[in-house]
Amino acid sequence: MVNIRQEGRRLMPVQIKLSDHGLGFLLVASGVVTGEEILEGIQRRDTSVERVQKYLYGIADYTKIDELQVTSDHVGQIARIDEFTAKINPNVNLAIAASKDIAYGMSRMFEIFADKAAWNINVFRTLEEAQAWVRAETKSRVTGELTLEATEDI
C-alpha cells in the first residue's frame, strides 16, 4: 500500500469522523481496505458511551475503495459490535454507500447479519443517495438542516 501523507501524517484506509457536532459519525474508507481496519475504526467510534448516546445517524462511505479484503467472518464481527452499540443507542439511522459490487454485496450481508441491531440500516450505490436517505430519516429529530460534514476526527 502506498504511504500517503497529509500534514505529516499517514492517512488511514478507514477514517472515523464525527459530524454535525457529534450527532452523527462518518466512516470513510479508501484505497485497499481490510476487515481488520474496518473493525479497528468501528472500535474507535464506540470508545465513549456519552458519544454513542448522541448519535442520530451514521454514514459508511465505501465509494472510494480500490479493493476490499473482508470476509464473512469480519462482517459478522462488525454486526455484533453494532448490535452491542445499538443497546446503548437504538435510535441510529445507518446508511452505507458502496459503489463497487463486492463492497455493495458485503454491505448487504452486513444488513442481514445486523438484523438484531435496532438500527435503521439501508445500503445505497452512491454517497448522495445515502446522504439524502439520512436527511429524510433524521429530519423529524433535529432542528435545522444536517450538514453531514465532518466536524472532528476520532
Side-chain angles (χ1 to χ4, degrees), residues 46-151:
D46 296 345
T47 56
S48 163
V49 171
E50 294 79 21
R51 181 186 311 144
V52 169
Q53 289 172 331
K54 285 180 61 177
Y55 293 152
L56 297 179
Y57 70 87
I59 298 175
D61 180 3
Y62 296 107
T63 61
K64 298 173 185 73
I65 64 164
D66 295 322
E67 183 180 337
L68 187 62
Q69 300 172 355
V70 175
T71 67
S72 59
D73 186 52
H74 291 123
V75 174
Q77 290 175 41
I78 294 164
R80 285 190 296 280
I81 291 169
D82 283 353
E83 286 173 16
F84 177 79
T85 304
K87 291 177 182 175
I88 298 168
N89 180 354
N91 302 310
V92 173
N93 295 309
L94 176 62
I96 303 169
S99 53
K100 290 193 171 32
D101 288 342
I102 186 69
Y104 186 84
M106 293 303 244
S107 298
R108 293 294 307 232
M109 183 187 300
F110 165 78
E111 188 177 22
I112 293 166
F113 282 9
D115 68 337
K116 292 184 179 119
W119 290 358
N120 184 17
I121 302 170
N122 212 332
V123 180
F124 302 90
R125 287 286 187 172
T126 69
L127 180 58
E128 294 76 20
E129 291 173 306
Q131 290 171 330
W133 179 81
V134 163
R135 282 190 173 98
E137 292 295 312
T138 312
K139 70 179 175 184
S140 67
R141 298 171 53 205
V142 296
T143 56
E145 187 74 23
L146 294 171
T147 67
L148 307 180
E149 294 181 15
T151 54

